[in-house]
Amino acid sequence: MKPVNVGMLGIGTVGSGVVNILERNADVISRRAGREIRVSHASARHPERPRSCRLEGIALTQDPFAVVDDPEVEVVVELIGGCEPARELILRAMANGKHVVTANKALIAQHGNEIFARACEAGVTVAFEAAVAGGIPIIKAVREALTGNRVEWLAGIINGTANYILTEMFYEGREFGEVLAEAQRLGYAEADPSFDVEGIDAAHKLTILASIAFGIPLQYDKVHVEGIDHITRADVAWAEELGFRIKHLGLAFHEEDGYALRVHPTLLPRRHMLSNVDGVMNAVMVNGDAVGPTLYYGAGAGAEPTASAVVADMIDVVREFNLEPENRVPYLAFHTHSLSEGPVLAMRDVETAYYLRLSARDEPGVLAEVTRVLGDFGISIEAIIQKQPEAGAEHVPIILLTHRVRERQMDAAIERLEQLDKTTGRVVRIRVESLE
Amino acid sequence: MKPVNVGMLGIGTVGSGVVNILERNADVISRRAGREIRVSHASARHPERPRSCRLEGIALTQDPFAVVDDPEVEVVVELIGGCEPARELILRAMANGKHVVTANKALIAQHGNEIFARACEAGVTVAFEAAVAGGIPIIKAVREALTGNRVEWLAGIINGTANYILTEMFYEGREFGEVLAEAQRLGYAEADPSFDVEGIDAAHKLTILASIAFGIPLQYDKVHVEGIDHITRADVAWAEELGFRIKHLGLAFHEEDGYALRVHPTLLPRRHMLSNVDGVMNAVMVNGDAVGPTLYYGAGAGAEPTASAVVADMIDVVREFNLEPENRVPYLAFHTHSLSEGPVLAMRDVETAYYLRLSARDEPGVLAEVTRVLGDFGISIEAIIQKQPEAGAEHVPIILLTHRVRERQMDAAIERLEQLDKTTGRVVRIRVESLE
């Protein structure tokens, strides 16, 4: 049989990785797919620049739309990123009857509902394993392996930059800003790191994971997002003293009254599997009602790890060429007409536990006031630490761990605590999860 | 469409789990499979006994062959275990044109080559996710997700009983025999625990994993197998002092000159992800040439975890009903005519590193003799510990960590060490891996 012609949009880090894998592992790939797969066409803004892959046999162009419209191209691989022109390119590819493989988390999170609906109409596949957690086959695990389960919750370390920074802060006892600067020097963080350290990237991925897991439409705008830029070395040390690690997690829970979707720093028990995921590695824990907790760990970014997921999708698409569309694996693990309709809960209605750090005058009665405020708002305390003040200091830090309570109660309690005479400054709040 | 009729052989722990999941999650399962799936027929040795699932609507019989021959049954789920009559039942089901789902690791490991060949001839699917690592979708991950990769090695904690025992020995400082007895009382180990503690069960699973990963025929008889029954509390403590944990691993390496397949206790660095897998949980790490190291963790046994994998296979089989056989995912990730032919290496030709513990007279010059013997056999030493003897003791333990060397060299060196005047008893050897 003749090879499958793939048109690749973008020949950057991941694109080069795809070409290299297809070349190096051509024999096993064609045995597994049943046909040879080759990148026949590719677009790049600067086609003349040197790449970290060979470009022999690839028809190069500056115009991605030319690739998408070329009748010889059977599968389009979109590796440009961002929403435009990627969205337009993908929609046009599908309208042209071509299957699509993408690594574009921002696009799927924000426009996936439209893209999947148009793919259904066109009878083509859109595959996006590389959009979440790089090389870890998490989309396939949730969508095709945990199919006998209802997913009760999932939790993921899904941004390698943030995890690298928190790992360094923990092991080296350093401050956020210092580690960020070093991460940028080492290439683990972008010049503009906001997507990573403010949680936007993780929120894109969490949106996609939650939709696959729960069978709900993609609702990126409803995800509660917090980054790691306010985490201090002191909080990392206090968390350790209390038996926890601080990790930046994407969390999705199926509650009685709806779905909780949130991205924020989280205290996790030290012995939890996710607590031991260090550096730039990613991991997603998925709890199914039948299987219980399962964890998937691997490289969340990088040329060949991400390309590994792209190529796996390409092979799946090729295997499914001869299938009737209704026999293919549905995009969100559910046919689009049978998605769930429960609401995504507002953060204030979500119940969770908290680590609080506040600064108070070193006087008798402070602790009593603080605990009474918490009690007034129905907040039970699991642990308190109050150390001796530093020499000459007028204020001492008070650290508390609370039991679970609804966020709106904690919001109100914190407001009240900040108004007390004896306290100073803001109350630091980091949510706590046991994830068992 | 009418429901798919499944004939289940065996209504034990896993069988009851399958029925319960199909009932509890019927809505999501039929949405995902595209059709309702029901157990219509089932066989059990004592059909009248009460079960932990409802049996309404299931035609019960004592004769498993009747189920396999019944023209109304479309898919056969074999949950009897063992090689006979399971093998005969599965072959007959396939000859009758029925697809088969099984959890039977012993059967697939020892007779899988024949079963897959006959399935090819009959044009039916044999699915066996539940045969390895319970609910963890490891077969699917290797076979369908890492398809762009060559697998360089894999390593797994794939027997929950052995891992439970080693975990307890580590955290509680207890001896093997004592923990085994407790494990039996708690139901984590069988009355006859040899399959688990001697490594047979792990070897069955490792055989299957290696074949999927490397595209080689199943070769159970070539796996080097050691259990955990010779591990002492002392070795666990020494390993910890050296910065390691002792885990019972199934290991498969693609070496230059062939494949190394082995099951044995292994010293792993304390910070390795596998070192933190505790209790009855399982985990498999797979290193692909493109994606790098990936880890899959979850419950390796139990009614609903194992049944979760069986049901996922059932859904896959139903989804693939309308496919031509050559469009389905090949059993070993390769079509049977294109399997690799490299040899499985004999253990003596395998290279690895070692922990050695020997007992020697508390005299000057002992260490020099020991290290000279190792040097004579080309064995480099990474670390040595020799403590003060206990009060009144004539012998002291000497602990060594060596660099990598071929097992035949270590065999010869150990034989020589045991012959020395100054040493007494056997030399304890536990292999060491860094798995990075």
Side-chain angles (χ1 to χ4, degrees), chain B residues 52-340:
Chain B
S52 26
C53 64
R54 305 196 318 141
L55 297 171
E56 274 80 14
I58 303 179
L60 291 176
T61 171
Q62 263 190 318
D63 180 12
F65 288 92
V67 174
V68 155
D69 288 339
D70 193 313
E72 284 186 22
V73 168
E74 302 168 79
V75 179
V76 167
V77 174
E78 182 273 305
L79 302 174
I80 292 174
C83 291
E84 297 298 346
R87 187 183 72 101
E88 207 189 330
L89 286 161
I90 285 179
L91 291 176
R92 187 132 134 202
M94 299 192 304
N96 290 340
K98 302 183 199 303
H99 302 283
V100 171
V101 175
T102 179
N104 198 329
K105 58 227 65 164
L107 179 68
I108 297 292
Q110 298 172 86
H111 299 281
N113 299 319
E114 173 192 17
I115 290 172
F116 297 153
R118 299 275 282 271
C120 268
E121 291 164 23
V124 295
T125 297
V126 176
F128 48 94
E129 182 71 72
V132 181
I136 311 174
I138 186 61
I139 302 294
K140 184 175 279 283
V142 176
R143 207 168 61 173
E144 299 179 38
L146 303 187
T147 37
N149 291 260
R150 286 181 209 280
V151 173
E152 296 174 334
W153 55 262
L154 61 87
I157 293 172
I158 47 184
N159 182 280
T161 302
N163 198 54
Y164 171 82
I165 292 172
L166 289 173
T167 303
E168 285 295 293
M169 288 177 71
F170 173 73
Y171 284 112
E172 306 296 321
R174 299 158 69 188
E175 284 293 1
F176 168 80
E178 188 192 332
V179 180
L180 171 61
E182 182 193 77
Q184 286 168 315
R185 273 197 309 277
L186 292 174
Y188 292 142
E190 310 279 339
D192 175 2
S194 48
F195 249 50
D196 296 323
V197 305
E198 290 177 19
I200 312 292
D201 175 72
H204 289 149
K205 296 161 178 173
L206 194 264
T207 300
I208 299 171
L209 281 172
S211 293
I212 302 286
F214 302 137
I216 58 176
L218 298 147
Q219 293 163 83
Y220 168 68
D221 53 315
K222 299 223 170 75
V223 178
H224 173 86
V225 187
E226 288 172 30
I228 61 164
D229 39 3
H230 56 278
I231 299 296
T232 67
R233 178 171 56 177
D235 292 314
V236 171
W238 287 119
E240 185 185 7
E241 181 162 338
L242 290 160
F244 293 86
R245 292 281 298 270
I246 298 182
K247 290 297 191 183
H248 191 230
L249 298 184
L251 296 147
F253 292 83
H254 189 177
E255 311 278 15
E256 271 185 39
D257 44 349
Y259 303 95
L261 309 182
R262 44 200 175 98
V263 170
H264 54 66
T266 309
L267 263 70
L268 265 185
R270 179 174 47 240
R271 297 246 311 256
H272 196 276
M273 286 294 287
L274 283 172
S275 291
N276 292 297
V277 175
D278 283 339
V280 294
M281 298 303 274
N282 282 191
V284 182
M285 180 165 271
V286 184
N287 195 87
D289 69 324
V291 70
T294 58
L295 179 90
Y296 311 87
Y297 160 99
E304 290 217 351
T306 311
S308 165
V310 172
V311 171
D313 273 351
M314 287 163 71
I315 293 170
D316 276 353
V317 164
V318 169
R319 276 183 179 155
E320 292 190 331
F321 263 177
N322 299 330
L323 297 194
E324 293 305 318
E326 55 271 13
N327 281 338
R328 301 192 191 117
V329 177
Y331 312 118
L332 297 182
F334 295 87
H335 294 272
T336 33
H337 53 268
S338 51
L339 295 178
S340 280

Side-chain angles (χ1 to χ4, degrees), chain A residues 31-32 149 295 323 338, chain B residues 31-32 149 295 297 323 338:
Chain A
R31 263 188 289 166
R32 290 164 179 167
N149 289 261
L295 179 90
L323 296 194
S338 51
Chain B
R31 264 189 288 166
R32 290 163 180 167
N149 291 260
L295 179 90
Y297 160 99
L323 297 194
S338 51

Side-chain angles (χ1 to χ4, degrees), chain A residues 296-316:
Chain A
Y296 311 87
Y297 160 101
E304 289 217 352
T306 312
S308 165
V310 172
V311 171
D313 273 351
M314 288 163 70
I315 292 169
D316 275 353

